[in-house]
Amino acid sequence: MDDTKSKISFKMFKEKAIEKFLLIMSLISISIVFIIFLYLILEGVPAFSTIGFFNFIFGTEWFFPTDTYGIMPLLIGSFYVTIIATVIAVILGIPSAIVLSEMMPPSIASIIKPIIEILNDIPSIVYGFIGMIILIPFMESSLSMVVGESYITAGIVLGIMALPTIVTISDDAIRSVPKDIKEGSLALGASHWETIKNIVIPSAISGIIASIILAMGRVLGETMAVMFLIGCIPRIPTPFYNIFQSGSTMTTGIVSEMGEAARGSLHYHSLVGIGVILLIIVTILNFVADYARIRVQKKFG
Amino acid sequence: MRDIIVVKEFNLWFGKDHILKNINMNIEKNKVTAIIGPSGCGKSTFIKSINRMNDLVPNCTTDGEILFDGFDNIYKKDVDVYELRKRIGMVFQNPNPFPMSIKDNITYGPKIHGIKDKKKLNEIVESSLKSAALFDEVKDRLDDMALGLSGGQQQRLCIARALSIHPEIILFDEPCSALDPISTSKIEDLILDLVEKYTIIIVTHNMQQAARISDNTAFFLSGELIEYGNTSDIFETPKDKRTEAYITGKFG
């Protein structure tokens, strides 16, 4: 009697112990996220309080020798680079996704798709390096730019980096459109392209939008490749739409100056402050992308 | 000439699989022709040959002729498949409305075929839904999503969608297999109404359904047309033993 009893209680103990272990591990993972948020906010807040949140965001000058910290030049830089990269990735990526999912025989698509996905596995430093030795000289010689490092140069390379995100997720979204409704369209005498344009793409649009937003998030957070390609000069371009000028983004701004900022100084807090703003923007983008993806799932159950 | 479709020595392969074997069959105009047979006998493939939906299957090859008024052989090289599918509509096994409003589901076909006039499109919406016996149920919510309708309503919407471009023939591929008995009887009544204006070819698993609504019945087995004739003859005095075995429920 006693023996079975102790066996059972040992099993129960083991069960409880494993449950507790799993719970603790998951709590640690979740709390790490909160710690990162909390740390960033605590370290960034002195910048907002000293400089003023409004002046910090809309200040047009970033110059640490005079302790002037306005992140507008970096916001503009990130904005231009992200827009250029997204436009390039969309122009190349959406047609690729349509060809992969709708026009290629599945046997060939299953070879091509992993090849495009390899772009995702290349370390970003390699992109920066290739951009530096190929694209920058090309920009300087063919567009007669004095300095090849610019928003456009960084944007082009990041566009290629973001391509697999758009192709993979859009391709999945297009594939998830039920075959039934495509056949319904074709049976009414619509051509393949008419079916793609009127039925397939509108049905997959939430997923396609999600892919674009995730690609934007990726570009916005990218650092290493941009370091090589943008010049790392925190200034507002003149005129303000001159994307052929050197500049800086939020990420490169942090990296290029963090080494020289004394810990605890206003400079240091301001750099962390950039991180806070970046985190907020990327988080919002991810929420929007998730929302779009949930919508596409709901549409087809 | 009361035959609208003439199938002559028609063969079809998916890759190396010989799916349809030497089919010869005339289909009468303004009649309901039922295609029966066990699963995998090629009956769905056969009706999809009539509007060339099998073109979508990779490695599909055909031999022989299907003659249709105005086209001669629909498998000739220069045939306008889009025009063919405009004249031969199709309703599928599972209701497949587009993820858009009820109204947009109906106007989709006419718009593809070049009708832009709003008034004309609205007329088509009303007349198609009326012909599909759905208008009274949905007239106050034409802008609602079609996916909010019940299964039976969705199938009648798909029928209305097929009617919107005024086909001559409507192919039904087991249209009731996903529906409850009440919805099924509504669709059957509808088919009996539609046959006054259209030629109907219906694939069905349900032999009572074939007996109830069809004028002619074809029995397929393993890709061959075993017996074809007047529905009452097929069901009452089948000539072939295999037909008799199937309709009496000995296999299938």
Side-chain angles (χ1 to χ4, degrees):
Chain A
M1 268 309 257
D2 257 16
D3 196 37
T4 44
K5 206 176 170 186
S6 74
K7 247 187 193 165
I8 289 172
S9 61
F10 177 69
K11 193 174 177 181
M12 281 171 68
F13 170 77
K14 208 170 101 183
E15 190 73 11
K16 283 238 167 77
I18 290 171
E19 274 176 17
K20 284 264 152 51
F21 174 76
L22 296 175
L23 183 69
I24 289 167
M25 288 303 138
S26 69
L27 284 178
I28 290 174
S29 314
I30 296 167
S31 44
I32 287 172
V33 176
F34 281 103
I35 289 167
I36 291 173
F37 264 87
L38 200 67
Y39 172 81
L40 269 180
I41 289 168
L42 286 178
E43 291 290 87
V45 158
F48 303 143
S49 56
T50 314
I51 300 161
F53 189 70
F54 188 84
N55 288 336
F56 185 70
I57 301 281
F58 294 98
T60 55
E61 202 185 345
W62 179 280
F63 191 58
F64 72 88
T66 59
D67 258 357
T68 317
Y69 304 111
I71 65 167
M72 205 29 116
L74 307 175
L75 282 173
I76 289 175
S78 285
F79 178 77
Y80 284 160
V81 170
T82 304
I83 295 300
I84 294 164
T86 308
V87 167
I88 289 168
V90 166
I91 289 173
L92 294 175
I94 305 287
S96 306
I98 293 171
V99 169
L100 271 177
S101 54
E102 281 289 320
M103 296 177 175
M104 271 182 191
S107 54
I108 297 179
S110 65
I111 299 170
I112 304 281
K113 200 177 173 188
I115 293 175
I116 293 178
E117 281 166 358
I118 288 176
L119 287 175
N120 227 350
D121 304 330
I122 298 173
S124 66
I125 189 102
V126 175
Y127 280 98
F129 189 65
I130 291 172
M132 188 177 74
I133 59 174
I134 297 172
L135 192 60
I136 287 179
F138 172 80
M139 300 296 267
E140 285 169 357
S141 59
S142 65
L143 298 176
S144 59
M145 287 163 67
V146 181
V147 183
E149 284 94 343
S150 66
Y151 301 109
I152 182 96
T153 314
I156 290 169
V157 173
L158 289 191
I160 293 162
M161 275 181 80
L163 196 54
T165 307
I166 290 194
V167 174
T168 309
I169 298 172
S170 294
D171 175 75
D172 289 344
I174 294 171
R175 270 174 211 280
S176 73
V177 176
K179 201 172 131 231
D180 286 11
I181 63 170
K182 287 190 264 183
E183 288 187 342
S185 168
L186 294 167
L188 286 167
S191 67
H192 191 183
W193 169 243
E194 283 166 338
T195 302
I196 292 173
K197 185 181 66 166
N198 297 313
I199 301 292
V200 176
I201 293 179
S203 303
I205 196 69
S206 308
I208 293 172
I209 289 172
S211 80
I212 296 171
I213 295 168
L214 286 174
M216 288 173 88
R218 162 121 210 240
V219 170
L220 209 55
E222 182 47 48
T223 313
M224 267 342 280
V226 194
M227 289 289 289
F228 284 90
L229 304 169
I230 200 160
C232 297
I233 301 164
R235 63 171 175 200
I236 291 177
T238 46
F240 70 91
Y241 51 80
N242 189 353
I243 54 173
F244 292 92
Q245 238 171 28
S246 309
S248 190
T249 64
M250 289 191 274
T251 51
T252 58
I254 298 172
V255 176
S256 57
E257 290 183 16
M258 202 46 128
E260 28 195 323
R263 207 188 151 96
S265 66
L266 184 59
H267 188 197
Y268 165 83
H269 289 305
S270 301
L271 290 171
V272 180
I274 300 172
V276 174
I277 304 295
L278 187 61
L279 186 68
I280 292 170
I281 296 172
V282 172
T283 308
I284 292 171
L285 283 177
N286 280 328
F287 272 121
V288 175
D290 278 347
Y291 174 75
R293 272 206 285 199
I294 289 165
R295 271 201 53 190
V296 82
Q297 280 165 1
K298 271 192 185 157
K299 215 168 187 173
F300 302 110
Chain B
M1 269 297 283
R2 300 196 52 224
D3 293 337
I4 192 164
I5 293 264
V6 178
V7 183
K8 275 189 186 166
E9 290 170 15
F10 187 74
N11 286 279
L12 182 144
W13 294 264
F14 288 151
K16 281 182 185 157
D17 298 331
H18 199 176
I19 307 291
L20 294 174
K21 295 166 190 161
N22 206 33
I23 311 290
N24 287 287
M25 192 172 164
N26 293 8
I27 290 166
E28 285 183 277
K29 199 173 177 183
N30 291 94
K31 290 280 165 71
V32 178
T33 303
I35 317 270
I36 60 169
S39 301
C41 69
K43 54 192 192 301
S44 281
T45 306
F46 175 69
I47 67 161
K48 284 183 179 171
S49 303
I50 298 172
N51 64 346
R52 286 188 54 176
M53 285 299 279
N54 287 323
D55 290 12
L56 306 176
V57 181
N59 304 323
C60 171
T61 48
T62 61
D63 180 44
E65 295 181 328
I66 295 182
L67 309 177
F68 174 45
D69 173 42
F71 281 92
D72 198 4
N73 176 13
I74 62 167
Y75 280 90
K76 262 192 322 194
K77 261 192 181 153
D78 55 348
V79 161
D80 180 350
V81 182
Y82 311 125
E83 177 67 19
L84 175 75
R85 291 186 189 145
K86 185 181 171 227
R87 290 176 56 191
I88 305 181
M90 184 159 199
V91 175
F92 293 82
Q93 187 168 358
N94 292 306
N96 59 347
F98 301 135
M100 32 173 107
S101 73
I102 294 169
K103 191 175 159 187
D104 290 344
N105 262 278
I106 308 289
T107 57
Y108 181 80
K111 278 181 181 164
I112 289 284
H113 294 289
I115 297 174
K116 291 199 182 87
D117 181 41
K118 279 226 169 109
K119 211 177 139 215
K120 186 98 193 280
L121 288 169
N122 285 334
E123 282 168 21
I124 292 173
V125 170
E126 192 174 329
S127 65
S128 304
L129 287 171
K130 275 182 177 159
S131 305
L134 187 61
F135 186 70
D136 290 335
E137 290 164 57
V138 300
K139 63 185 174 196
D140 302 322
R141 45 179 176 142
L142 292 176
D143 292 318
D144 286 9
M145 288 296 283
L147 296 173
L149 296 173
S150 73
Q153 288 172 327
Q154 286 188 12
Q155 195 60 303
R156 276 178 284 147
L157 179 66
C158 293
I159 295 172
R161 188 173 72 187
L163 298 175
S164 69
I165 47 175
H166 306 297
E168 292 155 50
I169 302 175
I170 307 173
L171 310 170
F172 286 86
D173 186 6
E174 297 189 39
C176 303
S177 63
L179 304 180
D180 61 83
I182 293 169
S183 303
T184 299
S185 79
K186 277 186 187 164
I187 304 259
E188 288 181 8
D189 291 345
L190 184 54
I191 288 172
L192 292 172
D193 285 343
L194 291 173
V195 77
E196 287 171 22
K197 285 188 191 160
Y198 306 91
T199 303
I200 310 267
I201 305 172
I202 178 169
V203 166
T204 178
H205 240 73
N206 179 335
M207 276 172 286
Q208 288 85 359
Q209 183 171 65
R212 277 195 299 266
I213 63 172
S214 71
D215 300 294
N216 296 313
T217 297
F219 172 59
F220 276 65
L221 185 66
S222 319
E224 286 177 77
L225 176 58
I226 303 296
E227 193 166 348
Y228 178 44
N230 195 291
T231 297
S232 55
D233 292 347
I234 295 273
F235 280 90
E236 283 158 27
T237 53
K239 291 191 190 80
D240 195 288
K241 274 187 182 161
R242 290 166 292 180
T243 315
E244 189 181 354
Y246 182 70
I247 58 175
T248 53
K250 294 216 174 82
F251 71 92

